[in-house]
Amino acid sequence: MKLRMKFKKGRPVMFISHLDMIRTFERSFRRADLPLAFTQGFNPRPRISFTPALSVGITSSSEYMDVEFEETISPDDAVARLNAVLPEGIQIIKAGTADEKIPLSTVNCATYIVKTALEMENPSELEKGINNLLNRKEIIIEKSTKSGVKSVNIAPFIYNMKLLSNTNGTADICMEVSIGQQGSVSPKLIILELEKVLAKKLEIVSIHREEIFYRNENNKILPL
Amino acid sequence: MTIEKQLEKLLPQVSKPTRYMGNEYNSIKKDKDNIKVHVALAFPDVYEVGMSHLGIKILYHLLNQYPDIYAERVFAPWVDFEDLMRKEGIPLFSLESKTAVAEFDFLGFTLQYEMSYTNILNMLELSGIPIFSNERREGHPFIIAGGPCTYNPEPLSDIVDFFVIGEAEEVIVEIMDLYKSFKERGESRQRFLEEVAGISGVYVPSLYNVTYNDDGTIKSILPKQADIPRRIQKRLIKDLDNVYYPTNFVVPYMDIVHDRAVLEIFRGCTRGCRFCQAGMIYRPVREKSVVRLEKLAKDIIASTGYGELSLASLSTSDYSELKQLTEILTDEFRQSRVSLSLPSLRIDAFSLELAKKVQEIKKSGLTFAPEAGTQRLRDVINKGVTVQDLLTSVKDAFSSGWKTVKLYFMIGLPTETYEDVEGIANLAFAVVDVYKKVHGNTKGLKVNVSTSTFVPKPFTPFQWESQITLSEIEERQKFLRSLFRKNKNISYSWHDGKLSFLEAVFSRGDRRLGQVLKIAHDKGCKFDGWNDMFSFEKWMSAFNESGVCPEFYAYRKRSKDELCPWDIIDPGIDKKFLLRELEKSQKAEITPDCRIRCHACGASKLKAGGCCETKNEI
C-alpha cells in the first residue's frame, strides 16, 4: 500500500541536502520498524518518491513523499511511529492514502516567505518595488548552465508577490512561484532582482517554503 | 552573538555545511551547566573522515553514560570554513553545544595517522590554546591523545599534556574520576599531571627528561621524579566480550567515508605479518561471542536504522565462528534489508563463499593484498600467501561473476630488488591471464593495482630497518608504470612517495620533531593527507629552518641496541621476539600463525584472550 505523507523541514536540518533527506527517511523507517517496500534488482532501493528538491538552507512546512509499504499500515500509526524516531527538525504533519490524489510529479507551484533585513526610510517604497517587479512582462537573468551562460525570462514564473509585514528593519515577503519541470525560479534570484529595482541592499535572513501545490488557471489543488 | 547564531549566517557560504551542524539522530544533548567534566573528543580531520572512525564513537557514548560527564565531538574545519572562522573571530567549537573548545576540561585527539599532526596544531591555534604544553596555564583544557600513533608518542611530546596508551575504555573512566576529585580539591594543573601519571597506561611526557648521544641518537629517557613510571604499559581490555560497546551510534546526515553501522568482532591478529604494526600492538587476540554480537547487531540496527552492518576487525576471516555469525545475521536482517559487509577478508575459498552469500548479487570489487610480488619477499614479510592461493581465489571470483579486482602491494620492503618489483607486474599479468582462461577474453576486466611505500613502524620486526630513498621510490614507481603501460585492463596507482617519507620520519621520530611541526604549521601545512593540500616544499623548508634532518629518521638503519624513542612504551610484546622475527626475515623464513604454534611474543604476560594457554612456548 502507498501512503502520502506531508512533513516539515525545520531550522535544525536546514542545511541537509535532498539526498541526505532521502537517506534519513530510509533509516527512520527502519528505526520505526515500518515495512518499507523495496525495488527489485541488483541494488534494492526503498520505494519512496518526493516532491521537487528543496534548496539547501531553506526550511519548509510543506514537503511531501509517497511511501510504499509491504503491508497495510494505518496512516495515524505510521505518523506516530515515524515521529518518534525522526531527528529534531523533521516532522510528519499528516499522512493519508496516496490513492486518487494528484501525482506528486504534477506539483508545479510553491509559496515562499522570505525574511529580509533592510533599511528603508519609506516603507511604501518596498511595496512599490514589489509591484513593479510583479507587473513586468520580462525579467531577464543570466543563468549559467553546462553549455554556457543562458538568458532566461523569469517573469512568467512569478505568479504573485506581496509584502506581509515590514517592521523593525525586517520585511517578510511572500512569493508564489513556479517549481518543477516547466520552469522554476529561486526566491534568492527574485530578491536579487528586487534589489536592482529598489537600488538597495536586501539581506536575506531566512527563506521558508510555506506550501506546494498544483495550480492552473482556476484551481489550486493540495497534494494531501 | 553566540556561535550558533553566527553559524546560521556563515554556513550558507561554505561547502558541505552539514559538517558543522551537529544535531544528528542519537547525538547527545546535555545541560553543560549541570556537569562536572566537559570533554571534547577531537578527530584531526574533516567530519566525514572523523565520523567514520570507531574509537571516537565508543568513547563518546561511553563517557556520556555518566550523567556528570559531557563528551562532545570536534572535527577539523575544512579550509573554506576555517578562513571564515578566522575572519569572523569564531573559535573552534564543539558540534553538540557549539561551545568554544578552550572552555572544555579536556581536549582529546585520536592519532590515526602521522600526517594528521599538523591539523592538531591548527586546531589548537583555532581554539586559542597554546600549541606547546609548557605554555598552557591553569584553566586551559588538558590536551590528551590516544590511538595507534601514540605507540610512538614522542613527536607530539611537547604538544600533548598526556597520552593514553592502549585501549581506552577503562582508563578513560579512571582519568575522569581522578579529575573530578582534583577539581573538588582545587589543586594545580601540574599536580594533576603528576597524579594522572600514576594511572597505568598514562604517559605524561613533560615529566621525563630526554638526553642525546653525540651522534644524535637517544641516550636516555628518564622520569624526573622517582614515583613516575619508567615505562608505560599499554592498557588492554581483558574481557572484550563484556566490555562496553555502544548501540546508539550517531547517524550522520551527510554521506561520510564509512557510512554504515560497525560491529567490532575481535581485537588483535594472529598472522604476524612483519611490517604490520596493528598486528603487533593489539595483541593478544580477543574475540566477542556470537551471542553478544547477535544482540549488539540487533540493537544497533534498531537504534540507528542503518541499512548496512560492517563487521570490523583486523582480519575478518580469522574470527573463529564467522560462518555461524554471518548466517545468523543474514537471517536476522533479510526482512529489513540490512546488508552485511565483511571488510579485511583474507581471500580464500571459504571467504569467497561467504562474500558471495553476503553480497549475493551486489558484485563490487574484491580486494586482494599479496603485499609483495615474489614468494621470497612475501616470506621475508611473513605474508603467508602463495601465487597459487591468489590465482585460485581469483579464478573462483571470476567464475562467480566478479570483474573488478584490486591488488594491493608495498614497494620498498626490506631486501626488495627489481626482481620483486617486476614480480608485482607479473602477478597482475597472471591475474589477467586467469580471466582470459575463464572467459576467453578480457572484456569487462579491471585490475586495479596500487602500491604504497613501506614505512618502518615502531614495535614491528622491521622497526630497525631503513626506508628506501625518495628517488628510489620514484624509480620503482616509474618502473611499474612502464611495465603496466601496455596493458589496458590494468590501472596502476601509487601512494605519493613524499608522504611516505614524512610518515617514516614521524612514525619513528622523537621529541625534536615538535619544533618542525610548529614551523610547518606556521608555514601553513595542514590536511597533509589530502593531495591538493600537501606541500612537500613547505615541509622541507620547515626541516631546514629547524635544523632537524628528516633523513636521520627515515633512512637510518638502527643498531639493535639503540634506545628508540618509543622504548618508553611497553606494548606487551618483547624486543627479543621482534629481533628473532627480524633475523628470520633476513633468512626469508616464515613464522606460522600464532594459532598453530606460540612464538613467545610476550603477550601471554598480559593474561588476556587465552591465545597462548594451550600451546607450549618455544
Side-chain angles (χ1 to χ4, degrees), chain A residues 7-73:
Chain A
F7 63 95
K8 69 165 221 179
K9 183 185 182 188
R11 297 193 76 76
V13 289
M14 64 195 277
F15 292 118
I16 76 171
S17 70
H18 189 61
L19 272 175
D20 295 340
M21 200 62 151
I22 296 173
R23 237 192 320 267
T24 298
F25 270 113
E26 182 182 341
R27 289 168 184 168
S28 302
F29 279 108
R30 199 175 279 108
R31 290 197 290 266
D33 203 18
L34 288 166
L36 271 186
F38 281 77
T39 59
Q40 303 291 310
F42 290 117
N43 202 0
R45 307 293 315 153
R47 292 187 183 272
I48 310 178
S49 51
F50 290 85
T51 37
L54 188 66
S55 301
V56 168
I58 300 182
T59 56
S60 170
S61 45
S62 178
E63 300 296 296
Y64 294 87
M65 59 179 169
D66 281 347
V67 187
E68 260 189 77
F69 295 101
E70 281 178 341
E71 297 159 23
T72 310
I73 305 278

Side-chain angles (χ1 to χ4, degrees), chain B residues 184-349:
Chain B
E184 274 162 25
R185 287 179 277 140
E187 285 186 278
S188 72
R189 186 178 180 87
Q190 183 59 27
R191 185 70 208 132
F192 178 72
L193 288 174
E194 286 164 13
E195 278 186 34
V196 82
I199 293 180
S200 168
V202 172
Y203 172 49
V204 185
S206 60
L207 300 179
Y208 295 77
N209 267 329
V210 183
T211 58
Y212 299 93
N213 296 310
D214 292 341
D215 63 1
T217 56
I218 291 172
K219 191 172 177 188
S220 68
I221 312 176
L222 289 170
K224 293 174 182 169
Q225 291 158 238
D227 55 343
I228 303 300
R230 292 172 73 93
R231 240 184 136 199
I232 291 86
Q233 200 180 68
K234 78 162 177 200
R235 288 295 290 258
L236 182 87
I237 302 299
K238 289 194 176 168
D239 182 1
L240 194 72
D241 201 29
N242 286 306
V243 76
Y244 172 80
Y245 193 78
T247 52
N248 52 337
F249 289 101
V250 173
V251 186
Y253 290 110
M254 71 183 292
D255 197 12
I256 62 169
V257 178
H258 297 296
D259 200 7
R260 52 189 80 99
V262 180
L263 184 63
E264 186 189 31
I265 56 175
F266 69 93
R267 288 184 192 168
C269 178
T270 53
R271 297 279 174 175
C273 299
R274 291 175 181 132
F275 56 86
C276 178
Q277 189 188 36
M280 301 289 163
I281 60 177
Y282 296 134
R283 289 178 180 219
V285 163
R286 289 146 294 149
E287 292 191 346
K288 292 187 184 180
S289 65
V290 173
V291 180
R292 165 100 164 129
L293 291 173
E294 185 188 356
K295 169 92 172 70
L296 286 172
K298 278 192 212 167
D299 291 350
I300 291 169
I301 298 303
S303 157
T304 62
Y306 267 117
E308 187 179 351
L309 178 73
S310 169
L311 303 184
S313 70
L314 289 173
S315 174
T316 311
S317 323
D318 290 334
Y319 181 65
S320 59
E321 296 182 85
L322 187 61
K323 189 160 181 282
Q324 196 198 345
L325 178 66
T326 48
E327 274 168 9
I328 289 175
L329 295 180
T330 8
D331 282 352
E332 172 67 36
F333 296 129
R334 188 162 292 124
Q335 186 70 41
S336 51
R337 316 279 170 134
V338 178
S339 64
L340 269 194
S341 66
L342 310 176
S344 318
L345 268 189
R346 208 178 164 85
I347 301 298
D348 51 27

Side-chain angles (χ1 to χ4, degrees), chain B residues 283-511:
Chain B
R283 289 178 180 219
V285 163
R286 289 146 294 149
E287 292 191 346
K288 292 187 184 180
S289 65
V290 173
V291 180
R292 165 100 164 129
L293 291 173
E294 185 188 356
K295 169 92 172 70
L296 286 172
K298 278 192 212 167
D299 291 350
I300 291 169
I301 298 303
S303 157
T304 62
Y306 267 117
E308 187 179 351
L309 178 73
S310 169
L311 303 184
S313 70
L314 289 173
S315 174
T316 311
S317 323
D318 290 334
Y319 181 65
S320 59
E321 296 182 85
L322 187 61
K323 189 160 181 282
Q324 196 198 345
L325 178 66
T326 48
E327 274 168 9
I328 289 175
L329 295 180
T330 8
D331 282 352
E332 172 67 36
F333 296 129
R334 188 162 292 124
Q335 186 70 41
S336 51
R337 316 279 170 134
V338 178
S339 64
L340 269 194
S341 66
L342 310 176
S344 318
L345 268 189
R346 208 178 164 85
I347 301 298
D348 51 27
F350 164 70
S351 305
L352 203 66
E353 209 39 58
L354 265 182
K356 264 192 258 177
K357 219 161 55 205
V358 165
Q359 301 193 349
E360 286 182 344
I361 26 190
K362 207 169 143 190
K363 295 233 162 40
S364 46
L366 275 183
T367 304
F368 297 83
E371 312 284 1
T374 61
Q375 196 56 48
R376 183 199 67 82
L377 193 53
R378 282 192 296 273
D379 290 344
V380 166
I381 62 175
N382 204 39
K383 181 84 187 183
V385 174
T386 66
V387 180
Q388 218 39 56
D389 292 340
L390 174 77
L391 296 184
T392 313
S393 310
V394 165
K395 186 172 170 231
D396 267 11
F398 290 154
S399 310
S400 339
W402 267 281
K403 288 189 163 64
T404 302
V405 292
K406 190 176 171 193
L407 301 175
Y408 175 81
F409 297 93
M410 267 185 278
I411 57 166
L413 285 160
T415 75
E416 184 181 69
T417 63
Y418 269 78
E419 200 179 310
D420 300 305
V421 181
E422 200 175 353
I424 294 174
N426 290 339
L427 213 49
F429 296 144
V431 167
V432 175
D433 287 342
V434 169
Y435 191 91
K436 255 187 227 161
K437 260 186 211 143
V438 172
H439 292 295
N441 55 45
T442 58
K443 234 177 103 187
L445 171 68
K446 263 174 132 172
V447 180
N448 298 321
V449 177
S450 76
T451 63
S452 64
T453 300
F454 167 67
V455 176
K457 294 275 184 178
F459 298 117
T460 65
F462 292 153
Q463 66 171 9
W464 295 275
E465 294 291 329
S466 52
Q467 187 178 50
I468 58 170
T469 64
L470 200 46
S471 59
E472 283 172 313
I473 296 173
E474 279 159 7
E475 288 268 312
R476 288 177 206 192
Q477 288 170 341
K478 203 170 129 198
F479 177 57
L480 278 173
R481 276 204 302 278
S482 73
L483 293 178
F484 287 130
R485 195 160 292 142
K486 292 162 262 172
N487 199 306
K488 63 179 192 338
N489 295 105
I490 300 175
S491 73
Y492 171 52
S493 62
W494 56 94
H495 189 68
D496 187 346
K498 296 181 176 100
L499 270 176
S500 304
F501 171 69
L502 287 177
E503 283 160 17
V505 172
F506 281 94
S507 78
R508 292 186 300 169
D510 57 38
R511 274 181 196 210

